[in-house]
Amino acid sequence: MEPYPSALPSAQASSPDDLQQALRDSELHRALSLEGGALGTYEFFPELGRMNWSDRTKALFGLPPEAEITLAEFRAAIHPDDLPRALANLEAAQDPAGNGILEQEYRVRSASDGSTRWLRSKGKYFPAQPGQAARFAGVVQDITSWKESEYWLTEGQQRLQAALTASGTGTFRWNIQTNGLSWDENLDRLFGLPPGQTVRSLDSFIECVHPDDRAAVIECCCQCADSAADFDLQFRVVWPDGTIRWLDDKGKTYLDADGRPAYMTGACVDITARRQAEEALRASEARLRMLTEALPQLSWMRDATSHKLEYASNRWQEYSGIEDADLAWASMVHPDDKERAMQVWQESMASATDFREQVRLRNRDGEYRWHLSIAQPVRDGAGQVTKWTGTLLDIHEQKSFEETLERIVGERTRQLQQSNDDLQQFAHVASHDLKEPLRKARLFLGCYRDEARSSISPAGETFLNKVEGALDRMHAMVEGVLAYSLLHGQEFSPEPVNLADLLQEIAVDLEVPIHEKDATLHYQDLPLLKGSRVLLYQLFYNLLKNALKFTRAGVPPVLTLTAPASSGDLIIEVRDNGIGFAPDQAKRIFEPFTRLHSKDQFEGTGLGLALCQKIMERHGGSIRAEGREGEGAVFFLAFPFY
């Protein structure tokens, strides 16, 4: 069997009619070529500065059909970054030593709306002849979409870029009655042939087609020859070097005067990159589907416009026993969860934000199990939501554990609260009971001192002073323990506190040690604080009293309070020039009953800074310290903004 119809009329000798027909064919061939490639034509007479553009060319430049084109308008339309190169190429093409071919790409700014698009221009320079001025003639093509594709495509970018750069619309003409075939150089390139090695017959064309696609191509050619059908087929071609390319071939069949199929003209484009992308997408979808089916979650995908369910994993049927996932969802959700879940889902769809909710789903055995339902919107290049994808993960064991843990934590919290209440009550009672014997001891010690003042020896006086000092320290210790233990239970409503006024009151209360040590207190531009005035007073009183206590001999104390600018919490710095402390003790000094020095050197209970830390915690803030031995210390108080 022959690969194409053999009983076709032989070619006729040339005649005026044939010439006219050939001319019409040529014009049609040219029109199809220009139309298929979306090409505009131009002529440019450099010596005259005049240009003749087709309507399509004017449209590509955003100009109306009636516009008159000059070199100045052409220069104004070219993007400033591309204009020097475009003019240089025009000059180079006019060099007698060259071939006169002009091929370049540049951007133009539309005269109608100011938009920018990419054009590819290809033409030839024809030197002046007797009676004819020198001119350029060629075509231009809009390649904006190709340029945009270069930006977005990543995988196979070089291959796709080469295909786009090398691609163009190839045109052909097949004389059905003689099987003669002709095509332009673009098709040579699409078939991997050197320019000028044009295929001249249908047999030669068929030989270039991939063996697996030849039968379909031959069948389509036979239909065109038998019934004047149009040619519309995608097939592979094998280049001489073994390369395989995909082509999209479209042709239209024309009849002769007797109504018989006479010839076909058409266009062909390279679609290799698109086919590869489609195959890659299909492979990717297959891998994704396989992965989705392998996961334990119930997965789904739904159209954002029609809300039609496009995909549901097999896990739906396995879990629910219901084949239709839409019906399964409606019947699986626990009645107590359905209204809440639907409300959150409607809000997510309205705001195009992620959906996340916990629901109970009934399985095929009638058991309700907790699932975490997550859905996300899928957007197109314009940012519009086109689909929703989601999964439901079984979290029943985790939920049961959380409920058990929450119950245990609640019980432990109640026990701890009761323990704290008992401890506070004990601390209050104990401190109260300890105060009474201390008061009596101090009273009787005073009575003894008054009674036996004249008979007390110097050594006895020393002993009495030590006893009196020990009683004072014990009293301070009891007061400190009571304040520390009761602080956690104190409730307060935050109120504005003027820190400057508070410091003035503290300075009055500390007037004696300030005077005795010749201390200086500096502060200015301090902010308002929000909190308990009583607790804040105790906080800054303890810090300043601490600074007045741990001073260096012979060095007047300088206490400075500042509020440096901060992008986060409100920071108050309390700085002194006292004895300081080692950097590795910065955290330890806030522990209750911690003393870095013996009581013989510096008096105190070791509770002052621990109490300061508790006060800061009660205000939702924090306190830390930095120090250097012999250089002083600085305390950083971080208050939250209300």
Side-chain angles (χ1 to χ4, degrees):
M1 179 179 292
E2 295 180 356
Y4 50 84
S6 60
L8 297 175
S10 60
Q12 304 295 321
S14 297
S15 67
D17 290 340
D18 289 337
L19 292 176
Q20 289 295 326
Q21 182 63 44
L23 180 60
R24 287 194 298 270
D25 291 346
S26 176
E27 288 299 319
L28 179 60
H29 184 88
R30 176 175 176 273
L32 283 173
S33 176
L34 295 175
E35 183 66 25
L39 302 175
T41 62
Y42 71 87
E43 283 186 320
F44 169 44
F45 300 88
E47 296 177 357
L48 304 177
R50 179 167 58 85
M51 292 186 171
N52 294 332
W53 286 0
S54 67
D55 290 348
R56 181 180 292 277
T57 302
K58 294 178 182 179
L60 292 177
F61 279 77
L63 297 171
E66 65 274 8
E68 295 293 334
I69 310 302
T70 64
L71 179 60
E73 291 172 323
F74 172 75
R75 291 167 61 102
I78 302 297
H79 193 284
D81 294 342
D82 300 338
L83 181 59
R85 173 171 47 81
L87 295 179
N89 289 337
L90 283 174
E91 290 293 334
Q94 300 176 59
D95 188 345
N99 58 10
I101 298 299
L102 175 65
E103 184 172 5
Q104 59 182 340
E105 296 176 0
Y106 49 80
R107 288 165 290 180
V108 298
R109 293 179 296 189
S110 174
S112 58
D113 57 12
S115 62
T116 300
R117 65 179 63 184
W118 274 96
L119 299 182
R120 176 185 292 158
S121 174
K122 185 172 184 179
K124 181 174 177 58
Y125 175 69
F126 298 92
Q129 301 292 332
Q132 292 184 351
R135 69 188 179 96
F136 282 94
V139 295
V140 292
Q141 183 182 23
D142 189 332
I143 60 170
T144 304
S145 60
W146 294 351
K147 288 293 186 180
E148 292 174 350
S149 297
E150 290 176 357
Y151 176 80
W152 293 109
L153 296 180
T154 53
E155 186 177 0
Q157 185 174 10
Q158 291 184 349
R159 181 173 62 253
L160 182 57
Q161 176 61 38
L164 289 172
T165 302
S167 69
T169 302
T171 60
F172 66 89
R173 186 178 190 275
W174 173 36
N175 190 321
I176 298 176
Q177 298 176 358
T178 66
N179 279 337
L181 184 63
S182 63
W183 63 36
D184 59 14
E185 290 186 358
N186 280 340
L187 270 180
D188 284 338
R189 179 164 48 80
L190 294 179
F191 276 74
L193 302 173
Q197 189 178 327
T198 304
V199 173
R200 299 297 182 185
S201 69
L202 195 61
D203 285 328
S204 301
F205 161 68
I206 294 296
E207 287 297 321
C208 296
V209 177
H210 192 284
D212 294 343
D213 298 340
R214 286 177 186 171
V217 173
I218 292 171
E219 175 63 23
C220 195
C221 290
C222 291
Q223 292 178 4
C224 296
D226 292 341
S227 59
D230 291 338
F231 192 97
D232 189 354
L233 193 65
Q234 296 178 5
F235 55 86
R236 289 164 291 179
V237 294
V238 182
W239 286 10
D241 62 0
T243 301
I244 298 175
R245 309 291 295 180
W246 274 97
L247 301 182
D248 186 5
D249 197 345
K250 290 179 171 57
K252 183 173 181 58
T253 303
Y254 292 88
L255 305 177
D256 61 12
D258 298 327
R260 297 177 302 171
Y263 66 94
M264 173 188 291
T265 60
C268 190
V269 294
D270 190 317
I271 60 168
T272 303
R274 192 181 79 192
R275 290 297 296 249
Q276 290 175 341
E278 291 173 352
E279 291 174 3
L281 180 59
R282 284 193 294 269
S284 177
E285 290 177 345
R287 290 194 297 269
L288 179 60
R289 185 178 295 270
M290 181 177 65
L291 177 62
T292 302
E293 294 296 343
L295 294 175
Q297 293 95 332
L298 285 71
S299 305
W300 56 270
M301 182 167 63
R302 192 177 294 274
D303 185 88
T305 303
S306 65
H307 305 295
K308 179 181 178 181
L309 185 66
E310 296 184 348
Y311 167 75
S313 65
N314 293 331
R315 298 291 179 186
W316 284 90
Q317 185 174 359
E318 294 176 6
Y319 182 86
S320 67
I322 303 174
E323 183 174 354
D324 190 322
D326 270 336
L327 295 177
W329 168 258
S331 60
M332 289 164 60
V333 182
H334 194 286
D336 295 343
D337 301 339
K338 184 174 296 185
E339 182 178 353
R340 168 177 49 83
M342 288 303 299
Q343 180 179 354
V344 177
W345 170 242
Q346 294 293 339
E347 293 173 354
S348 295
M349 286 197 301
S351 60
T353 56
D354 291 356
F355 169 85
R356 190 181 185 93
E357 192 67 19
Q358 295 181 4
V359 294
R360 286 165 288 182
L361 300 181
R362 187 179 62 198
N363 61 20
R364 63 195 313 153
D365 298 327
E367 176 192 6
Y368 281 100
R369 295 184 63 84
W370 279 101
H371 284 72
L372 174 61
S373 179
I374 300 175
Q376 293 179 317
V378 179
R379 304 176 187 272
D380 59 16
Q384 298 297 318
V385 177
T386 58
K387 299 181 187 302
W388 284 85
T389 62
T391 59
L392 290 102
L393 177 64
D394 191 319
I395 58 169
H396 193 77
E397 303 302 330
Q398 175 185 343
K399 190 74 174 178
S400 300
F401 175 76
E402 289 177 354
E403 292 175 351
T404 302
L405 182 61
E406 184 177 351
R407 184 173 60 256
I408 293 174
V409 170
E411 293 175 358
R412 294 290 187 273
T413 301
R414 287 191 295 273
Q415 293 174 2
L416 287 173
Q417 183 61 46
Q418 182 62 47
S419 177
N420 283 338
D421 292 344
D422 293 344
L423 286 174
Q424 289 181 11
Q425 182 66 26
F426 172 78
H428 181 75
V429 172
S431 62
H432 181 272
D433 291 345
L434 287 173
K435 286 181 187 178
E436 180 59 24
L438 284 174
R439 186 184 66 80
K440 288 184 178 179
R442 294 172 70 181
L443 174 64
F444 291 130
L445 181 63
C447 293
Y448 175 76
R449 186 188 296 276
D450 293 339
E451 180 71 20
R453 183 177 301 276
S454 59
S455 61
I456 298 176
S457 66
E461 185 67 29
T462 300
F463 295 149
L464 289 177
N465 289 337
K466 287 184 178 293
V467 171
E468 192 172 42
L471 291 175
D472 289 341
R473 287 195 296 274
M474 178 63 74
H475 183 270
M477 181 74 72
V478 171
E479 291 290 345
V481 169
L482 181 60
Y484 185 83
S485 64
L486 297 180
L487 179 61
H488 180 73
Q490 296 183 19
E491 298 294 337
F492 66 88
S493 297
E495 59 177 313
V497 177
N498 189 308
L499 184 53
D501 294 345
L502 199 69
L503 292 175
Q504 289 182 0
E505 296 178 13
I506 295 174
V508 172
D509 290 344
L510 294 175
E511 181 178 4
V512 173
I514 290 176
H515 177 73
E516 290 177 347
K517 296 195 174 186
D518 194 22
T520 305
L521 178 61
H522 294 292
Y523 59 87
Q524 63 179 1
D525 299 329
L526 295 178
L528 289 175
L529 298 179
K530 270 203 168 184
S532 165
R533 182 179 179 84
V534 173
L535 295 182
L536 291 176
Y537 181 94
Q538 194 169 11
L539 168 69
F540 288 97
Y541 179 88
N542 283 351
L543 289 175
L544 295 179
K545 185 177 180 181
N546 219 47
L548 291 171
K549 180 194 308 182
F550 298 103
T551 59
R552 288 180 286 167
V555 179
V558 177
L559 315 181
T560 306
L561 283 85
T562 58
S566 172
S567 58
D569 294 336
L570 174 60
I571 304 297
I572 304 295
E573 295 183 4
V574 181
R575 191 179 303 270
D576 65 59
N577 63 340
I579 63 173
F581 55 84
D584 58 358
Q585 301 292 329
K587 292 184 179 180
R588 185 168 173 263
I589 61 175
F590 293 103
E591 297 175 1
F593 303 108
T594 296
R595 300 176 58 93
L596 302 184
H597 308 278
S598 68
K599 62 179 183 294
D600 295 333
Q601 291 179 287
F602 299 98
E603 63 179 11
T605 63
L607 285 171
L609 291 180
L611 188 61
C612 290
Q613 186 176 53
K614 266 209 166 187
I615 293 174
M616 288 302 300
E617 291 173 354
R618 292 286 289 120
H619 285 79
S622 62
I623 182 173
R624 66 181 181 87
E626 294 180 2
R628 287 185 177 275
E629 290 184 306
E631 297 182 13
V634 56
F635 290 84
F636 300 90
L637 287 69
F639 291 89
F641 280 107
Y642 285 89

